[in-house]
Amino acid sequence: MRYPPSNNLSAGSDAVNWLPPVTFSSTGVSPKTSVAIGRTSPGARSNEIPSTALAAELTQDYDERTSFLALRVFCGGMGRLMVSLLALNFFLKPTPEQPVGQLNEAGYHLYGVAAAVIMFIAIMVSSIGTHRAIPNLMTAPPKVKRSLKEVFGVIGLTLGNRSILVLLACGIVWAIAAGIVGSLGFYINTYFWELSAPQISALALGAFGAYVIALVLTPICAKRWGKKATAL
């Protein structure tokens, strides 16, 4: 698996997102946010898609693939959890000017840089670490040139598969739920429940147990009852 510079676009963009120009007015926040999302998402997808696809090529064993993907989800979840705990306990500290730690603007600047460094290291370690598996990967089929009509025909054929549509719908619902929780969770905890940064951090620790349980039980249950029954 190669590691093109675009893989780390998301890491650099994450740092820039938390360092807005001082000349921005309140009316400039919305355009900046749109540009930030457009800049970060391609970088994240350029790493997410090939790294997910690679899991299926690392082994031909059906159950071992499940274990690989469970470990991948575990590492991703633990990474997000650790970064959140780092921000809430070290960067988002209350100050005399801002007694609510998670509203401390200066803390987000440092957090953005730290998160970008962590993302860069994680991407490079995983990319370099999988290079030893290259000789054992399946040989890619020869490239076939297709017309635009043929490309859309293949897309239509793919979307005509009922299982693909169900999987796509589930992914959309999950992404919506995750987006709502990620976007509103901080606001609700801060303004409705009036929790401090350490208190929010303590709540986040609950996810640690869930990740560990899922990592251990998912491969076992999937092998015993199948992936569909396990997911249900």
Side-chain angles (χ1 to χ4, degrees):
M1 177 180 175
R2 296 173 181 266
Y3 41 94
S6 58
N7 275 10
N8 290 301
L9 175 63
S10 55
S13 298
D14 186 77
V16 176
N17 290 346
W18 298 110
L19 299 171
V22 295
T23 56
F24 263 5
S25 63
S26 58
T27 57
V29 172
S30 181
K32 175 194 176 291
T33 303
S34 299
V35 172
I37 294 174
R39 183 177 56 216
T40 304
S41 295
R45 299 292 81 79
S46 69
N47 177 69
E48 182 78 13
I49 293 174
S51 62
T52 302
L54 181 64
E57 295 194 42
L58 291 176
T59 177
Q60 299 301 309
D61 185 84
Y62 182 80
D63 294 318
E64 195 172 18
R65 287 179 180 178
T66 303
S67 298
F68 282 173
L69 288 173
L71 181 60
R72 184 183 185 280
V73 173
F74 172 80
C75 292
M78 289 300 296
R80 290 189 294 271
L81 177 61
M82 292 298 103
V83 170
S84 296
L85 295 178
L86 183 68
L88 291 168
N89 289 283
F90 294 96
F91 296 118
L92 304 182
K93 293 283 190 179
T95 63
E97 296 78 16
Q98 180 50 265
V100 181
Q102 58 267 36
L103 300 181
N104 182 6
E105 180 181 347
Y108 282 98
H109 299 169
L110 296 175
Y111 158 71
V113 174
V117 171
I118 294 172
M119 290 169 63
F120 176 82
I121 293 174
I123 290 172
M124 295 306 297
V125 168
S126 62
S127 297
I128 296 173
T130 52
H131 268 224
R132 62 180 180 177
I134 291 178
N136 301 321
L137 298 180
M138 292 183 292
T139 303
K143 293 184 178 180
V144 178
K145 291 185 177 181
R146 291 189 174 92
S147 65
L148 189 60
K149 181 180 179 180
E150 290 175 325
V151 170
F152 280 104
V154 173
I155 294 175
L157 185 64
T158 302
L159 295 179
N161 186 301
R162 182 175 178 272
S163 297
I164 292 292
L165 290 177
V166 172
L167 186 63
L168 181 62
C170 291
I172 292 174
V173 172
W174 177 87
I176 292 174
I180 292 175
V181 172
S183 301
L184 298 181
F186 231 47
Y187 291 97
I188 293 174
N189 287 332
T190 300
Y191 294 107
F192 183 79
W193 296 112
E194 298 183 352
L195 300 179
S196 65
Q199 290 171 327
I200 297 175
S201 174
L203 286 177
L205 281 174
F208 175 79
Y211 287 131
V212 174
I213 293 173
L215 174 65
V216 175
L217 293 184
T218 298
I220 297 174
C221 295
K223 189 174 184 178
R224 174 65 177 82
W225 294 293
K227 294 181 181 179
K228 181 179 179 179
T230 301
L232 292 175

